[in-house]
Short mmCIF file of all heavy atoms in Angstrom, two decimals:
data_model
loop_
_atom_site.label_atom_id
_atom_site.label_comp_id
_atom_site.label_asym_id
_atom_site.label_seq_id
_atom_site.Cartn_x
_atom_site.Cartn_y
_atom_site.Cartn_z
N CYS A 151 -39.91 -41.39 -22.75
CA CYS A 151 -39.49 -40.57 -21.60
C CYS A 151 -40.08 -39.17 -21.69
O CYS A 151 -40.54 -38.61 -20.68
CB CYS A 151 -37.96 -40.49 -21.54
SG CYS A 151 -37.14 -42.00 -20.98
N LYS A 152 -40.11 -38.63 -22.89
CA LYS A 152 -40.68 -37.30 -23.09
C LYS A 152 -42.16 -37.31 -22.71
O LYS A 152 -42.65 -36.39 -22.04
CB LYS A 152 -40.51 -36.88 -24.55
CG LYS A 152 -41.02 -35.49 -24.87
CD LYS A 152 -40.08 -34.42 -24.35
CE LYS A 152 -40.45 -33.06 -24.91
NZ LYS A 152 -39.51 -32.01 -24.45
N GLN A 153 -42.86 -38.34 -23.13
CA GLN A 153 -44.30 -38.46 -22.82
C GLN A 153 -44.55 -38.52 -21.32
O GLN A 153 -45.54 -37.98 -20.82
CB GLN A 153 -44.88 -39.71 -23.48
CG GLN A 153 -44.98 -39.64 -25.00
CD GLN A 153 -45.47 -40.96 -25.58
OE1 GLN A 153 -45.46 -42.00 -24.92
NE2 GLN A 153 -45.88 -40.92 -26.85
N LYS A 154 -43.65 -39.18 -20.61
CA LYS A 154 -43.84 -39.39 -19.18
C LYS A 154 -43.06 -38.38 -18.32
O LYS A 154 -42.99 -38.52 -17.10
CB LYS A 154 -43.43 -40.82 -18.80
CG LYS A 154 -44.35 -41.88 -19.41
CD LYS A 154 -43.88 -43.30 -19.12
CE LYS A 154 -44.07 -43.69 -17.66
NZ LYS A 154 -45.49 -43.88 -17.30
N ASP A 155 -42.49 -37.35 -18.97
CA ASP A 155 -41.76 -36.29 -18.27
C ASP A 155 -40.60 -36.86 -17.45
O ASP A 155 -40.37 -36.48 -16.29
CB ASP A 155 -42.70 -35.49 -17.37
CG ASP A 155 -42.08 -34.17 -16.92
OD1 ASP A 155 -41.22 -33.64 -17.65
OD2 ASP A 155 -42.43 -33.67 -15.83
N ILE A 156 -39.86 -37.77 -18.07
CA ILE A 156 -38.67 -38.37 -17.45
C ILE A 156 -37.43 -37.80 -18.12
O ILE A 156 -37.36 -37.73 -19.35
CB ILE A 156 -38.72 -39.90 -17.58
CG1 ILE A 156 -39.84 -40.46 -16.69
CG2 ILE A 156 -37.38 -40.54 -17.24
CD1 ILE A 156 -40.12 -41.92 -16.89
N GLY A 157 -36.48 -37.38 -17.32
CA GLY A 157 -35.28 -36.75 -17.86
C GLY A 157 -34.41 -37.72 -18.65
O GLY A 157 -34.24 -38.87 -18.26
N VAL A 158 -33.86 -37.24 -19.77
CA VAL A 158 -32.95 -38.03 -20.60
C VAL A 158 -31.60 -37.33 -20.67
O VAL A 158 -31.51 -36.20 -21.15
CB VAL A 158 -33.51 -38.20 -22.03
CG1 VAL A 158 -32.45 -38.83 -22.94
CG2 VAL A 158 -34.77 -39.06 -22.01
N ILE A 159 -30.58 -38.00 -20.15
CA ILE A 159 -29.22 -37.47 -20.23
C ILE A 159 -28.45 -38.33 -21.22
O ILE A 159 -28.34 -39.54 -21.06
CB ILE A 159 -28.51 -37.47 -18.87
CG1 ILE A 159 -29.25 -36.60 -17.86
CG2 ILE A 159 -27.08 -36.97 -19.02
CD1 ILE A 159 -30.16 -37.33 -16.95
N GLY A 160 -27.94 -37.71 -22.27
CA GLY A 160 -27.15 -38.42 -23.27
C GLY A 160 -25.74 -38.64 -22.75
O GLY A 160 -24.99 -37.68 -22.58
N MET A 161 -25.39 -39.88 -22.49
CA MET A 161 -24.06 -40.23 -21.99
C MET A 161 -23.13 -40.53 -23.16
O MET A 161 -23.57 -40.99 -24.21
CB MET A 161 -24.20 -41.45 -21.07
CG MET A 161 -22.90 -41.96 -20.47
SD MET A 161 -23.13 -43.25 -19.22
CE MET A 161 -24.32 -44.35 -19.97
N LYS A 162 -21.86 -40.24 -22.99
CA LYS A 162 -20.84 -40.46 -24.03
C LYS A 162 -21.24 -39.81 -25.35
O LYS A 162 -21.20 -40.45 -26.41
CB LYS A 162 -20.60 -41.96 -24.23
CG LYS A 162 -20.27 -42.72 -22.95
CD LYS A 162 -20.01 -44.19 -23.25
CE LYS A 162 -19.94 -45.02 -21.98
NZ LYS A 162 -18.86 -44.61 -21.08
N PRO A 163 -21.63 -38.54 -25.34
CA PRO A 163 -22.11 -37.89 -26.57
C PRO A 163 -21.06 -37.78 -27.67
O PRO A 163 -21.39 -37.64 -28.83
CB PRO A 163 -22.55 -36.50 -26.09
CG PRO A 163 -21.72 -36.26 -24.86
CD PRO A 163 -21.62 -37.60 -24.21
N MET A 164 -19.78 -37.85 -27.28
CA MET A 164 -18.70 -37.76 -28.27
C MET A 164 -17.90 -39.05 -28.31
O MET A 164 -16.79 -39.07 -28.82
CB MET A 164 -17.77 -36.59 -27.93
CG MET A 164 -18.47 -35.25 -27.84
SD MET A 164 -17.36 -34.06 -27.09
CE MET A 164 -18.44 -32.63 -27.02
N THR A 165 -18.43 -40.12 -27.74
CA THR A 165 -17.69 -41.36 -27.53
C THR A 165 -16.42 -41.06 -26.74
O THR A 165 -15.37 -41.64 -26.98
CB THR A 165 -17.33 -42.08 -28.84
OG1 THR A 165 -16.43 -41.26 -29.61
CG2 THR A 165 -18.57 -42.35 -29.67
N GLY A 166 -16.53 -40.14 -25.79
CA GLY A 166 -15.37 -39.62 -25.09
C GLY A 166 -14.96 -38.36 -25.81
O GLY A 166 -15.34 -38.12 -26.96
N HIS A 167 -14.17 -37.51 -25.18
CA HIS A 167 -13.81 -36.24 -25.83
C HIS A 167 -12.62 -36.45 -26.75
O HIS A 167 -11.51 -35.96 -26.53
CB HIS A 167 -13.50 -35.17 -24.78
CG HIS A 167 -13.56 -33.79 -25.32
ND1 HIS A 167 -14.68 -32.99 -25.21
CD2 HIS A 167 -12.67 -33.06 -26.03
CE1 HIS A 167 -14.45 -31.83 -25.80
NE2 HIS A 167 -13.24 -31.85 -26.30
N PHE A 168 -12.83 -37.25 -27.77
CA PHE A 168 -11.77 -37.52 -28.73
C PHE A 168 -12.42 -38.02 -30.01
O PHE A 168 -13.59 -38.38 -30.03
CB PHE A 168 -10.80 -38.57 -28.20
CG PHE A 168 -11.41 -39.94 -28.05
CD1 PHE A 168 -11.30 -40.87 -29.07
CD2 PHE A 168 -12.10 -40.29 -26.90
CE1 PHE A 168 -11.87 -42.13 -28.95
CE2 PHE A 168 -12.68 -41.55 -26.78
CZ PHE A 168 -12.57 -42.47 -27.80
N VAL A 169 -11.65 -38.03 -31.07
CA VAL A 169 -12.11 -38.57 -32.34
C VAL A 169 -11.34 -39.84 -32.62
O VAL A 169 -10.11 -39.84 -32.58
CB VAL A 169 -11.89 -37.55 -33.48
CG1 VAL A 169 -12.33 -38.14 -34.81
CG2 VAL A 169 -12.63 -36.26 -33.19
N PRO A 170 -12.01 -40.97 -32.86
CA PRO A 170 -11.29 -42.23 -33.12
C PRO A 170 -10.33 -42.09 -34.29
O PRO A 170 -10.58 -41.34 -35.24
CB PRO A 170 -12.42 -43.22 -33.44
CG PRO A 170 -13.63 -42.62 -32.81
CD PRO A 170 -13.46 -41.14 -32.90
N ASN A 171 -9.24 -42.82 -34.25
CA ASN A 171 -8.22 -42.71 -35.30
C ASN A 171 -8.80 -42.99 -36.69
O ASN A 171 -8.43 -42.34 -37.67
CB ASN A 171 -7.06 -43.67 -35.02
CG ASN A 171 -6.19 -43.20 -33.87
OD1 ASN A 171 -6.07 -42.00 -33.63
ND2 ASN A 171 -5.59 -44.14 -33.16
N TRP A 172 -9.72 -43.96 -36.78
CA TRP A 172 -10.26 -44.28 -38.10
C TRP A 172 -11.02 -43.10 -38.69
O TRP A 172 -11.08 -42.94 -39.90
CB TRP A 172 -11.15 -45.52 -38.04
CG TRP A 172 -12.47 -45.33 -37.34
CD1 TRP A 172 -12.74 -45.62 -36.04
CD2 TRP A 172 -13.68 -44.81 -37.88
NE1 TRP A 172 -14.04 -45.32 -35.74
CE2 TRP A 172 -14.64 -44.81 -36.85
CE3 TRP A 172 -14.05 -44.33 -39.14
CZ2 TRP A 172 -15.94 -44.36 -37.04
CZ3 TRP A 172 -15.35 -43.89 -39.32
CH2 TRP A 172 -16.27 -43.91 -38.29
N ALA A 173 -11.58 -42.24 -37.82
CA ALA A 173 -12.36 -41.10 -38.30
C ALA A 173 -11.48 -39.96 -38.81
O ALA A 173 -11.99 -38.98 -39.36
CB ALA A 173 -13.27 -40.59 -37.19
N LYS A 174 -10.18 -40.09 -38.62
CA LYS A 174 -9.25 -39.06 -39.09
C LYS A 174 -8.73 -39.36 -40.50
O LYS A 174 -8.00 -38.56 -41.08
CB LYS A 174 -8.07 -38.94 -38.12
CG LYS A 174 -8.49 -38.55 -36.70
CD LYS A 174 -7.30 -38.57 -35.75
CE LYS A 174 -7.74 -38.27 -34.32
NZ LYS A 174 -6.61 -38.34 -33.36
N ASP A 175 -9.12 -40.50 -41.04
CA ASP A 175 -8.67 -40.90 -42.37
C ASP A 175 -9.56 -40.28 -43.44
O ASP A 175 -10.65 -40.78 -43.73
CB ASP A 175 -8.68 -42.43 -42.47
CG ASP A 175 -8.20 -42.92 -43.83
OD1 ASP A 175 -7.75 -42.09 -44.64
OD2 ASP A 175 -8.30 -44.14 -44.08
N ALA A 176 -9.11 -39.19 -44.02
CA ALA A 176 -9.92 -38.46 -44.99
C ALA A 176 -10.15 -39.25 -46.28
O ALA A 176 -11.01 -38.86 -47.08
CB ALA A 176 -9.25 -37.13 -45.33
N SER A 177 -9.40 -40.34 -46.48
CA SER A 177 -9.59 -41.13 -47.69
C SER A 177 -10.67 -42.20 -47.51
O SER A 177 -11.09 -42.84 -48.48
CB SER A 177 -8.27 -41.81 -48.08
OG SER A 177 -7.87 -42.76 -47.10
N ASN A 178 -11.15 -42.36 -46.30
CA ASN A 178 -12.18 -43.36 -45.99
C ASN A 178 -13.53 -42.81 -46.44
O ASN A 178 -13.97 -41.77 -45.97
CB ASN A 178 -12.18 -43.63 -44.49
CG ASN A 178 -13.16 -44.73 -44.09
OD1 ASN A 178 -14.15 -44.98 -44.77
ND2 ASN A 178 -12.89 -45.35 -42.96
N PRO A 179 -14.23 -43.49 -47.35
CA PRO A 179 -15.54 -43.01 -47.85
C PRO A 179 -16.54 -42.77 -46.72
O PRO A 179 -17.35 -41.85 -46.79
CB PRO A 179 -16.00 -44.12 -48.78
CG PRO A 179 -14.74 -44.78 -49.23
CD PRO A 179 -13.82 -44.75 -48.04
N LEU A 180 -16.49 -43.60 -45.69
CA LEU A 180 -17.40 -43.43 -44.56
C LEU A 180 -17.13 -42.11 -43.86
O LEU A 180 -18.05 -41.37 -43.51
CB LEU A 180 -17.24 -44.58 -43.57
CG LEU A 180 -18.06 -44.48 -42.27
CD1 LEU A 180 -19.55 -44.43 -42.57
CD2 LEU A 180 -17.75 -45.65 -41.35
N VAL A 181 -15.84 -41.78 -43.67
CA VAL A 181 -15.47 -40.52 -43.03
C VAL A 181 -15.93 -39.34 -43.87
O VAL A 181 -16.45 -38.35 -43.35
CB VAL A 181 -13.95 -40.46 -42.79
CG1 VAL A 181 -13.55 -39.09 -42.25
CG2 VAL A 181 -13.52 -41.56 -41.83
N VAL A 182 -15.78 -39.45 -45.18
CA VAL A 182 -16.22 -38.39 -46.08
C VAL A 182 -17.72 -38.14 -45.91
O VAL A 182 -18.18 -37.00 -45.82
CB VAL A 182 -15.89 -38.74 -47.54
CG1 VAL A 182 -16.52 -37.71 -48.49
CG2 VAL A 182 -14.39 -38.81 -47.75
N ARG A 183 -18.49 -39.24 -45.83
CA ARG A 183 -19.94 -39.10 -45.67
C ARG A 183 -20.30 -38.49 -44.32
O ARG A 183 -21.17 -37.61 -44.24
CB ARG A 183 -20.61 -40.47 -45.81
CG ARG A 183 -22.12 -40.43 -45.62
CD ARG A 183 -22.75 -41.78 -45.92
NE ARG A 183 -22.35 -42.83 -45.01
CZ ARG A 183 -22.88 -42.99 -43.78
NH1 ARG A 183 -23.81 -42.16 -43.34
NH2 ARG A 183 -22.47 -43.98 -43.01
N LEU A 184 -19.62 -38.95 -43.27
CA LEU A 184 -19.90 -38.42 -41.94
C LEU A 184 -19.62 -36.93 -41.87
O LEU A 184 -20.42 -36.15 -41.34
CB LEU A 184 -19.07 -39.15 -40.88
CG LEU A 184 -19.30 -40.65 -40.70
CD1 LEU A 184 -18.45 -41.17 -39.55
CD2 LEU A 184 -20.76 -40.95 -40.43
N LEU A 185 -18.49 -36.53 -42.40
CA LEU A 185 -18.11 -35.11 -42.35
C LEU A 185 -19.12 -34.26 -43.12
O LEU A 185 -19.47 -33.16 -42.69
CB LEU A 185 -16.71 -34.92 -42.92
CG LEU A 185 -15.56 -35.47 -42.07
CD1 LEU A 185 -14.25 -35.36 -42.83
CD2 LEU A 185 -15.48 -34.70 -40.76
N LYS A 186 -19.59 -34.78 -44.23
CA LYS A 186 -20.57 -34.03 -45.03
C LYS A 186 -21.86 -33.86 -44.25
O LYS A 186 -22.45 -32.77 -44.24
CB LYS A 186 -20.83 -34.76 -46.35
CG LYS A 186 -21.77 -34.00 -47.27
CD LYS A 186 -21.92 -34.73 -48.61
CE LYS A 186 -22.85 -33.96 -49.53
NZ LYS A 186 -23.02 -34.67 -50.83
N GLU A 187 -22.30 -34.92 -43.57
CA GLU A 187 -23.54 -34.84 -42.80
C GLU A 187 -23.40 -33.90 -41.60
O GLU A 187 -24.34 -33.21 -41.23
CB GLU A 187 -23.93 -36.24 -42.31
CG GLU A 187 -24.37 -37.16 -43.43
CD GLU A 187 -24.70 -38.56 -42.93
OE1 GLU A 187 -24.66 -38.78 -41.70
OE2 GLU A 187 -25.00 -39.44 -43.77
N LEU A 188 -22.20 -33.86 -41.03
CA LEU A 188 -21.99 -33.03 -39.85
C LEU A 188 -21.74 -31.55 -40.18
O LEU A 188 -21.81 -30.70 -39.31
CB LEU A 188 -20.81 -33.57 -39.03
CG LEU A 188 -21.09 -34.90 -38.32
CD1 LEU A 188 -19.79 -35.49 -37.78
CD2 LEU A 188 -22.08 -34.72 -37.19
N GLN A 189 -21.48 -31.26 -41.44
CA GLN A 189 -21.20 -29.88 -41.83
C GLN A 189 -22.38 -28.95 -41.56
O GLN A 189 -22.20 -27.74 -41.42
CB GLN A 189 -20.84 -29.81 -43.32
CG GLN A 189 -19.41 -30.25 -43.61
CD GLN A 189 -19.11 -30.24 -45.10
OE1 GLN A 189 -20.01 -30.06 -45.92
NE2 GLN A 189 -17.85 -30.44 -45.45
#
Side-chain angles (χ1 to χ4, degrees):
C151 286
K152 182 75 169 182
Q153 290 176 344
K154 294 176 71 71
D155 196 27
I156 290 171
V158 171
I159 299 97
M161 180 172 45
K162 307 181 191 299
M164 303 167 183
T165 65
H167 199 96
F168 67 94
V169 178
N171 287 331
W172 71 264
K174 300 175 184 178
D175 180 7
S177 65
N178 184 334
L180 176 60
V181 174
V182 173
R183 178 173 65 80
L184 297 184
L185 290 173
K186 184 176 180 181
E187 291 178 4
L188 289 169
Q189 282 177 351

